[in-house]
Amino acid sequence: MIQATFQKYKLEFKRPSGTSRGVLRVKETYFLLLNESDKKGVGECGVFKGLSADDRPDYEEKLAWTCANINLGLTKLLEELLEFPSIQIGLEQAFLSLYADDSFELFPSDFTKNQEPISINGLIWMGDASFMKSQIQDKLTAGFSCIKMKIGAINFEEELTLLKSIRKEFSSDDIELRVDANGAFRPQEALEKLKRLSELDLHSIEQPIRQGQYEEMAKLCELTPLPIALDEELIGVFHQKEKEKIIKSVNPQYIILKPTLVGGFKGSQEWITIATENNINWWITSALESNVGLNAIAQWTYTLRNTMPQGLGTGSLFTNNFESPLEVVNGKLQYNTNVDWNFNLK
């Protein structure tokens, strides 16, 4: 018999991090802890306040139910928890961890043997122009060849100036530039802004307008001079037929999958299958998980063999993250087998 408990944990940002939804100072997360005989398993349920579809008042109640019913087994639990994607991925991790030889090596591969890293993008957080510029310089110095900049919080002209300054020094052959608007543009102004951004030879823009405006988004994807990637648009879509409808009606150039927000590995794989059938490319992104969740997502991502830079965090944003083998070297995420895990919730 498996015993299960959960524990809340508050991740603290080293520096308040700006998004178009406001400034983040802490990030609450939950750990699902399994015990069976002498085996232990851990999974992270990284609910994202204000963004996750399962950011609901009954979240802890549902976690308690999950622990009480853990012996229903993973398949049944995933069905029962369809509307709680962050609990789904926590369960997937916890069961993999419980039965793994090493409770943190969930998907053994050349990545976990430190033989091949994962190419990732360097993330530039919102702030004033000088702060964003200093971050850009840091990422370039750190060897990133792909940078993702969040836009939509400061003046658009200032953001354009920043992007132009990067392009003056580095061509698209040197640096791939992605931007993420987090739905900040109004539909009536979006196309004009996309035209101006496209002059800077960008790779893509994530979620230019707020999610749920399917007709406007479909029109933008048809007319855009700059490839559009759907991100928030995929959150809260639980059923396969709904997923197919969005992909076919909007027809984006890319989709971005945050496993914690779209139903874990199983839910993400559904999206990937539908996108691939419709000739739409994709990449994987973490969502401010601790190193426990990031580790699981990175290991799974490696198995997909997608050669594009992935949107995986670096674990370095928080003051109280857990020491792990994950490290970033020359813009790539690698698993340093000489470093041990220190997972301590106290």
Side-chain angles (χ1 to χ4, degrees):
M1 291 285 284
I2 301 171
Q3 270 82 47
T5 57
F6 72 89
Q7 194 165 330
K8 189 175 185 176
Y9 191 78
K10 196 174 282 190
L11 292 158
E12 295 170 357
F13 282 87
K14 289 177 182 172
R15 174 185 177 127
S17 297
T19 73
S20 59
R21 292 183 194 84
V23 175
L24 302 171
R25 289 181 172 81
V26 294
K27 164 76 168 57
E28 289 180 353
T29 195
Y30 293 84
F31 291 99
L32 195 56
L33 307 165
L34 305 187
N35 282 279
E36 186 182 38
S37 303
D38 59 342
K39 293 182 299 204
K40 293 182 186 302
V42 59
E44 182 173 1
C45 304
V47 62
F48 198 130
K49 299 283 184 186
L51 183 58
S52 295
D54 50 9
D55 176 19
R56 298 167 30 166
D58 61 342
Y59 188 84
E60 289 194 9
E61 189 183 312
K62 190 56 75 168
L63 269 175
W65 178 90
T66 302
C67 291
N69 291 277
I70 198 71
N71 288 290
L72 287 174
L74 182 60
T75 303
K76 181 66 175 168
L77 285 168
L78 291 180
E79 287 172 11
E80 294 288 333
L81 293 159
L82 191 64
E83 294 185 7
F84 290 83
S86 66
I87 301 180
Q88 286 183 313
I89 193 170
L91 275 167
E92 287 176 316
Q93 289 173 50
F95 273 93
L96 284 165
S97 174
L98 185 66
Y99 298 120
D101 291 336
D102 170 344
S103 56
F104 290 103
E105 190 179 8
L106 310 186
F107 298 91
S109 69
D110 284 346
F111 173 70
T112 57
K113 293 181 180 70
N114 199 16
Q115 292 174 2
E116 190 177 4
I118 301 169
S119 184
I120 62 173
N121 61 227
L123 180 60
I124 308 301
W125 288 90
M126 288 174 172
D128 61 36
S130 64
F131 171 57
M132 291 174 82
K133 196 167 187 177
S134 73
Q135 288 182 86
I136 291 164
Q137 197 52 59
D138 289 345
K139 296 299 178 194
L140 297 176
T141 304
F144 283 89
S145 59
C146 177
I147 289 176
K148 170 181 158 181
M149 189 168 123
K150 288 185 173 286
I151 62 173
I154 63 172
N155 180 279
F156 182 66
E157 299 301 328
E158 282 188 73
E159 290 169 338
L160 273 179
T161 302
L162 269 175
L163 290 164
K164 282 177 184 170
S165 70
I166 303 173
R167 271 292 170 256
K168 265 185 192 165
E169 284 188 64
F170 302 96
S171 74
S172 56
D173 291 331
D174 300 319
I175 297 287
E176 181 177 286
L177 280 176
R178 301 171 176 175
V179 293
D180 180 3
N182 282 128
F185 299 164
R186 295 194 303 272
Q188 59 270 31
E189 67 182 11
L191 189 58
E192 182 56 35
K193 287 188 170 180
L194 293 179
K195 283 175 182 170
R196 295 187 67 192
L197 287 164
S198 71
E199 292 165 7
L200 299 169
D201 209 359
L202 306 184
H203 173 269
S204 56
I205 181 167
E206 295 180 33
Q207 204 69 42
I209 62 173
R210 198 168 32 81
Q211 70 264 40
Q213 304 177 86
Y214 297 121
E215 282 183 31
E216 289 93 338
M217 187 66 93
K219 191 174 178 185
L220 269 184
C221 289
E222 184 185 357
L223 300 175
T224 184
L226 174 62
I228 290 173
L230 300 189
D231 179 1
E232 285 91 343
E233 208 75 69
L234 313 185
I235 297 169
V237 183
F238 304 119
H239 300 283
Q240 185 156 337
K241 285 204 181 324
E242 280 183 84
K243 294 177 182 181
E244 288 172 351
K245 186 179 175 185
I246 287 173
I247 292 295
K248 287 177 178 171
S249 63
V250 177
N251 196 28
Q253 284 73 35
Y254 296 101
I255 62 169
I256 297 170
L257 298 155
K258 292 185 170 83
T260 298
L261 302 182
V262 298
F265 306 131
K266 184 172 180 288
S268 297
Q269 189 58 61
E270 268 187 14
W271 278 112
I272 289 169
T273 301
I274 295 163
T276 304
E277 285 168 356
N278 288 276
N279 299 311
I280 291 163
N281 214 333
W282 51 270
W283 68 88
I284 307 297
T285 301
S286 51
L288 298 179
E289 297 85 1
S290 79
N291 278 335
V292 174
L294 174 60
N295 173 60
I297 291 167
Q299 289 186 29
W300 174 74
T301 299
Y302 177 84
T303 69
L304 303 174
R305 309 303 285 159
N306 183 323
T307 56
M308 297 172 71
Q310 304 296 298
L312 300 174
T314 63
S316 62
L317 289 172
F318 307 114
T319 60
N320 58 339
N321 210 337
F322 309 100
E323 192 175 341
S324 83
L326 297 170
E327 58 185 24
V328 178
V329 179
N330 289 328
K332 296 181 192 297
L333 186 66
Q334 66 181 37
Y335 198 85
N336 185 346
T337 49
N338 295 318
V339 175
D340 292 328
W341 278 90
N342 181 14
F343 178 66
N344 186 347
L345 287 172
K346 289 175 183 154

